[in-house]
Amino acid sequence: SKRFRLSDHPHAVSLIHESIRSRMDAEPYRDLLAAEGVADALPKGVARSLGLESLFQRIASIHLDTALLRLSKLTRPEDFEYAAVGVISGCAKTHPMRALELAANLPTDSPRRHQALLLAAYAARALDRSILQQWLTSARLNPDERVLLTGEAP
């Protein structure tokens, strides 16, 4: 009665470990794929906008470059703006400069621009005040936005 011992098969052990690691790496993305399908299927309106914002926030908190790539593929301006706010809130604490730049690149007439700028600026300031000050030296903002972010009149 020859018994099978896994330790006698290092290649099998390696395959099992790789399978477990792959499943663990993929776990954060499973829910996102389902949520993306739901958000895409929703008709134009508040539910769709908020769904995209939430979805892109989660994607950005897991992998910013993936979120930015997906963001670049959105064609409807309102989808883009809500998704951008989601990306900004998802990455502001870990990538404050990218969040600030993305907020400043939203259209100046967008009602979400102020929200995005405040969100990114608050996160940058909380992380390190010098990040916000450094960014403000070269940021293209109108005078009202500068006052909004600094609290100081020009």
Side-chain angles (χ1 to χ4, degrees):
S1 81
K2 190 171 181 184
R3 296 187 133 185
F4 177 81
R5 292 190 331 216
L6 200 53
S7 61
D8 293 337
H9 303 278
H11 184 66
V13 170
S14 174
L15 289 173
I16 291 168
H17 281 273
E18 187 58 37
S19 174
I20 291 169
R21 192 173 314 114
S22 295
R23 284 183 158 272
M24 290 170 53
D25 289 347
E27 195 61 39
Y29 297 96
R30 292 186 204 285
D31 293 338
L32 292 178
L33 292 174
E36 185 173 31
V38 170
D40 283 341
L42 289 170
K44 181 179 173 182
V46 175
R48 177 185 176 85
S49 297
L50 295 178
L52 285 169
E53 183 177 334
S54 178
L55 172 68
F56 276 80
Q57 178 181 358
R58 293 265 321 273
I59 295 170
S61 69
I62 295 169
H63 194 264
L64 177 59
D65 289 332
T66 298
L68 292 171
L69 178 63
R70 287 177 181 223
L71 185 65
S72 71
K73 294 179 180 182
L74 293 176
T75 56
R76 294 177 49 206
E78 56 275 358
D79 285 353
F80 177 85
E81 289 178 24
Y82 277 96
V85 171
V87 170
I88 291 163
S89 61
C91 77
K93 290 180 182 174
T94 55
H95 298 87
M97 289 295 274
R98 299 224 19 218
L100 287 163
E101 290 165 7
L102 184 55
N105 284 323
L106 286 173
T108 54
D109 61 344
S110 168
R112 281 156 290 289
R113 181 178 165 100
H114 285 289
Q115 173 193 0
L117 284 168
L118 282 173
L119 193 130
Y122 180 79
R125 189 180 298 122
L127 192 63
D128 181 351
R129 289 187 80 79
S130 67
I131 293 172
L132 181 61
Q133 294 305 321
Q134 176 188 351
W135 178 76
L136 283 169
T137 60
S138 63
R140 289 178 292 138
L141 302 171
N142 67 42
D144 291 340
E145 290 169 338
R146 285 199 180 274
V147 171
L148 179 73
L149 298 181
T150 63
E152 301 168 1

